[in-house]
Amino acid sequence: GESVGLHLPTLSVQEGDNSIINCAYSNSASDYFIWYKQESGKGPQFIIDIRSNMDKRQGQRVTVLLNKTVKHLSLQIAATQPGDSAVYFCAETPNRDDKIIFGKGTRLHILP
Amino acid sequence: SQTIHQWPATLVQPVGSPLSLECTVEGTSNPNLYWYRQAAGRGLQLLFYSVGIGQISSEVPQNLSASRPQDRQFILSSKKLLLSDSGFYLCACSHAGIPGYTYEQYFGPGTRLTVT
């Protein structure tokens, strides 16, 4: 569901290591999923998307994995860099309508 | 590709004062438009969305209202601001439901509102 009123969990990762950010979605009928990155003071930016007929999709340094059995989505970032510091939100389209539902977000903190 | 403009970027308003935030979209037509609010360190709350001129759907009860006077213009208003209206307001657009388009939403830079 929507992440109103919840403080964001934090993931701390050493620079150069891989990051894995997880998300549980709510509706088994959702057929499209998106990961967004939001840097401090800015609007969310699209990272990567995946349709429900896929279980993996790769982009530049990022991979999204979808497990429909357990309604779980993950974002993997390879060789994490300082510029990856941000809040990451997953989003789903549960009703095939005009709205998408955002997950609660995870703050990624990069350790030097 | 579309570009979303929001202004002002920051705003400090006293309790009880009116509010008007504007969002305009360039580079596309007939978009779905959305207003979100984000409290500090928290997630996104959908406030309003619009699928066309004059068509507004409200997601949560509140003292805010939205209007869409033109295809690519979306306005968020209040007659009297409350302290709880402070937050980061984001405008977004999409073409969800139109063949050939995904459900992806594109976001503007946001307006940070502080009600004092």
Side-chain angles (χ1 to χ4, degrees):
Chain A
E2 295 184 24
S3 53
V4 177
L6 294 173
H7 283 287
L8 305 177
T10 299
L11 174 67
S12 295
V13 175
Q14 204 77 36
E15 183 178 347
D17 287 352
N18 296 337
S19 302
I20 300 177
I21 301 170
N22 297 305
C23 176
Y25 62 93
S26 56
N27 193 318
S28 55
S30 291
D31 63 356
Y32 180 67
F33 304 87
I34 313 168
W35 278 101
Y36 283 93
K37 173 185 179 183
Q38 185 179 24
E39 296 175 305
S40 181
K42 298 183 180 179
Q45 289 181 296
F46 172 88
I47 301 175
I48 192 168
D49 59 0
I50 188 168
R51 292 202 174 273
S52 60
N53 60 354
M54 302 170 69
D55 53 21
K56 180 179 180 179
R57 191 168 186 216
Q58 288 185 292
Q60 188 178 13
R61 272 202 316 119
V62 295
T63 301
V64 55
L65 299 177
L66 175 63
N67 185 331
K68 295 180 287 294
T69 303
V70 295
K71 293 189 287 186
H72 184 267
L73 196 65
S74 70
L75 178 70
Q76 300 179 2
I77 304 174
T80 310
Q81 302 169 358
D84 295 327
S85 276
V87 175
Y88 291 82
F89 291 97
C90 65
E92 62 176 309
T93 56
N95 298 316
R96 285 184 166 268
D97 62 10
D98 313 314
K99 295 176 285 184
I100 61 177
I101 303 299
F102 286 86
K104 60 182 178 181
T106 298
R107 186 179 304 280
L108 180 63
H109 179 60
I110 311 302
L111 302 170
Chain B
S1 63
Q2 60 277 303
T3 303
I4 301 174
H5 301 279
Q6 287 186 246
W7 63 90
T10 60
L11 189 60
V12 180
Q13 292 282 101
V15 168
S17 64
L19 173 74
S20 181
L21 302 182
E22 188 160 347
C23 169
T24 58
V25 181
E26 282 183 13
T28 190
S29 58
N30 302 315
N32 300 326
L33 297 174
Y34 309 82
W35 277 113
Y36 289 88
R37 176 170 57 205
Q38 187 175 35
R42 305 201 182 211
L44 296 161
Q45 179 184 32
L46 179 62
L47 302 175
F48 300 96
Y49 75 101
S50 171
V51 299
I53 295 173
Q55 300 179 62
I56 309 293
S57 296
S58 174
E59 289 297 297
V60 292
Q62 58 205 315
N63 72 321
L64 299 170
S65 63
S67 62
R68 185 169 177 175
Q70 300 180 47
D71 180 48
R72 289 173 286 179
Q73 184 184 28
F74 205 23
I75 297 172
L76 184 69
S77 305
S78 175
K79 292 181 180 178
K80 289 185 179 182
L81 283 169
L82 306 173
L83 284 174
S84 58
D85 291 325
S86 292
F88 191 46
Y89 287 84
L90 289 156
C91 179
C93 79
S94 81
H95 287 87
I98 298 176
Y101 286 92
T102 67
Y103 291 88
E104 179 186 346
Q105 292 185 7
Y106 301 88
F107 286 83
T111 294
R112 185 161 304 283
L113 172 66
T114 303
V115 182
T116 60

